Amino acid sequence: MLKGTRIGLRARHEDDLPILRTELFNDVANSVRADDQPWRPVSPDAKGAAADEEVEEDRVPFSVVELEGGTLIGVASLWDIDTHNRYAHVGISLLPSARGKGYGTDVVATLCQYAFVVRSLHRLQVETLADNDAMLRAAERNGFVREGVLKSSAWVMGEFVDEVILGLLVGDWKKR
C-alpha cells in the first residue's frame, strides 16, 4: 500500500466493488462529471463494470482508504500512461461521505509520489471541469499549474462546460 498522510492507495479488493457501485458509480450527478462516457446504472453485483477495472499497461487503478481504520473512501488512478514520453493523467473520485475533508489533496500527493518516484514519470496532468473547485484546490496545493482551458469541451447533464488543464513536472515537484 502507498501511504499518504491520512490515506492509503491500495489494490482494488472484491469487497470494495459493491460499495463503489452503490455509493460512487451510481451517483449520477457526480459520475457524469468524472467520466467521459455516458452514465449507465451499475448493479451492486454486476460483472465487468467500471469498478472492476484491471491494471493495464496504460492505467493503474487504486482504492483509496483511510489509514486509520482502513475505511474505503474512493478511487484514484493514473491513466493514459505514456511510457515513452513519461507522462500520465491523474484521476480521483471520493465517496460523498469523504468529500470536503481534505482527503483529495493527500490522494493527489500520494499519486505524485507514485508517479514520479516509483514510475519515473516526467509529467502529470489533470483535466477537470472548471467548476470542480475541490480538484482544482487539491491539484494546485500539490504544485500543479493551470495551463489552459478547453472551452465547452465536456457534455455534462445537458450542457457543454469548460475543462481546466493543469500540469506538474517532476523537477517542479522535487523543488517543493
Side-chain angles (χ1 to χ4, degrees):
M1 176 185 323
L2 299 169
K3 293 182 180 180
T5 305
R6 299 173 51 208
I7 61 88
L9 300 179
R10 64 161 169 76
R12 192 83 33 89
H13 294 174
E14 189 68 29
D15 57 349
D16 293 347
L17 300 180
I19 296 166
L20 294 174
R21 289 184 189 122
T22 302
E23 296 184 35
L24 190 59
F25 299 115
N26 277 333
D27 177 2
V28 178
N30 285 296
S31 286
V32 298
R33 298 174 55 77
D35 200 349
D36 61 354
Q37 300 295 313
W39 181 85
R40 288 181 288 239
V42 180
S43 70
D45 58 351
K47 298 293 180 213
D52 296 331
E53 64 184 328
E54 294 294 324
V55 175
E56 298 174 11
E57 190 67 30
D58 70 340
R59 176 178 292 272
V60 180
F62 296 98
S63 285
V64 180
V65 295
E66 291 177 314
L67 284 179
E68 191 172 312
T71 303
L72 178 69
I73 60 170
V75 296
S77 65
L78 287 185
W79 56 277
D80 197 21
I81 300 169
D82 181 329
T83 56
H84 177 72
N85 294 303
R86 295 177 42 209
Y87 73 81
H89 297 82
V90 171
I92 70 172
S93 194
L94 299 176
L95 299 178
S97 61
R99 296 177 190 149
K101 298 180 179 180
Y103 291 124
T105 299
D106 199 14
V107 171
V108 172
T110 307
L111 285 171
C112 288
Q113 177 77 18
Y114 173 72
F116 292 137
V117 176
V118 176
R119 297 295 300 254
S120 189
L121 296 180
H122 176 73
R123 173 186 165 78
L124 290 176
Q125 183 168 308
V126 170
E127 293 106 22
T128 190
L129 299 179
D131 66 352
N132 188 347
D133 294 328
M135 186 62 197
L136 291 169
R137 275 192 312 273
E140 289 174 334
R141 286 178 181 158
N142 280 288
F144 282 81
V145 176
R146 292 181 192 220
E147 296 179 336
V149 174
L150 301 173
K151 303 297 282 178
S152 294
S153 63
W155 179 254
V156 178
M157 300 296 283
E159 65 180 329
F160 285 103
V161 296
D162 296 348
E163 287 183 284
V164 176
I165 305 296
L166 301 102
L168 177 62
L169 300 177
V170 66
D172 296 331
W173 176 77
K174 285 180 177 179
K175 290 177 189 174
R176 294 178 48 82

